[in-house]
Amino acid sequence: KQEVTQIPAALSVPEGENLVLNCSFTDSAIYNLQWFRQDPGKGLTSLLLIQSSQREQTSGRLNASLDKSSGRSTLYIAASQPGDSATYLCAVMGDGGSQGNLIFGKGTKLSVKP
Amino acid sequence: DAGVTQSPTHLIKTRGQQVTLRCSPKSGHDTVSWYQQALGQGPQFIFQYYEEEERQRGNFPDRFSGHQFPNYSSELNVNALLLGDSALYLCASSFTRTGGNEQYFGPGTRLTVT
């Protein structure tokens, strides 16, 4: 059974710092991995999608990497801003992705202080 | 281009009652998935609909049922509500035929059972 773990559960950093959020999964047979952002009480905003054949994806100040063999992904946020404060969720889709569902970690709650 | 929409935004029900939640997928998408997110947890997969049929189901009791209409919109029904059903219910849409399966989430429906 696939399990997704995110470390740390919470993180507080001063504005301007670069930071890394970690995600690990127990079954390497994944179809893709997505990183999401969730503001309090709101829905999920997709940040980056990495297909199983890819190693990384970049969007603006965000870079996500995937190491399928070790069951790890990282989300790198450069030059953090107070507006980046939110909960970041990692989710994997099992192989056979055309019928897949997403399995989520519990998230990392990020607070960026001005 | 409208994204995923959900209604209602908030709902308060009493134990034992029944509830129906609604979701309209992103334009061009043909697949709808439903997730339940308890406070402080990651979303958990309930089921997925494609071509008006339930294609995959998570570990949820039969009290949770759904439907997909010819226009790809979907409903989630929960019977005999329990206090533990209080959660944020998220709908996600995707396009099965192109593969990739990036899921786009709606803003959610906050259900409170008293």
Side-chain angles (χ1 to χ4, degrees):
Chain A
K1 178 187 171 187
Q2 179 74 269
E3 292 184 359
V4 179
T5 303
Q6 292 187 247
I7 295 173
L11 183 63
S12 181
V13 300
E15 182 177 3
E17 271 205 6
N18 302 325
L19 58 100
V20 174
L21 307 181
N22 296 293
C23 171
S24 62
F25 46 95
T26 54
D27 186 347
S28 63
I30 65 169
Y31 187 77
N32 63 38
L33 181 146
Q34 266 184 277
W35 281 94
F36 294 90
R37 169 190 172 132
Q38 186 174 33
D39 293 293
K42 305 293 185 184
L44 276 61
T45 300
S46 180
L47 298 174
L48 290 165
L49 169 72
I50 310 177
Q51 301 293 349
S52 62
S53 59
Q54 297 174 324
R55 297 283 295 186
E56 67 177 341
Q57 284 285 343
T58 297
S59 176
R61 295 182 294 109
L62 304 180
N63 175 276
S65 68
L66 173 64
D67 184 343
K68 242 179 60 166
S69 60
S70 67
R72 294 173 189 256
S73 176
T74 61
L75 179 66
Y76 175 82
I77 302 177
S80 59
Q81 304 169 358
D84 294 331
S85 298
T87 296
Y88 290 80
L89 293 157
C90 165
V92 299
M93 181 178 290
D95 220 341
S98 63
Q99 299 189 19
N101 67 82
L102 290 173
I103 298 171
F104 284 84
K106 292 185 178 181
T108 293
K109 186 174 182 179
L110 173 65
S111 177
V112 181
K113 306 294 186 185
Chain B
D1 175 26
V4 180
T5 60
Q6 292 186 243
S7 63
T9 305
H10 295 91
L11 206 49
I12 299 175
K13 290 287 188 178
T14 304
R15 269 184 305 175
Q17 287 188 316
Q18 177 264 342
V19 68
T20 297
L21 310 182
R22 295 176 176 83
C23 171
S24 291
K26 184 177 168 65
S27 178
H29 283 184
D30 57 9
T31 303
V32 173
S33 303
W34 287 92
Y35 294 82
Q36 180 196 65
Q37 187 178 25
L39 206 59
Q41 303 294 314
Q44 286 199 306
F45 176 74
I46 302 174
F47 43 52
Q48 183 179 80
Y49 277 84
Y50 172 64
E51 293 188 339
E52 302 180 51
E53 290 192 357
E54 183 182 291
R55 182 161 72 174
Q56 195 169 2
R57 189 178 183 92
N59 189 25
F60 278 80
D62 292 345
R63 297 187 297 109
F64 290 77
S65 63
H67 189 77
Q68 186 179 34
F69 299 95
N71 67 354
Y72 307 118
S73 66
S74 177
E75 288 182 349
L76 164 65
N77 301 292
V78 187
N79 295 322
L81 284 166
L82 303 173
L83 294 179
D85 295 332
S86 294
L88 181 67
Y89 288 84
L90 296 163
C91 167
S93 73
S94 56
F95 190 26
T96 290
R97 294 189 192 97
T98 58
N101 290 292
E102 183 169 7
Q103 296 198 7
Y104 293 81
F105 282 76
T109 294
R110 171 71 63 186
L111 172 64
T112 301
V113 182
T114 63

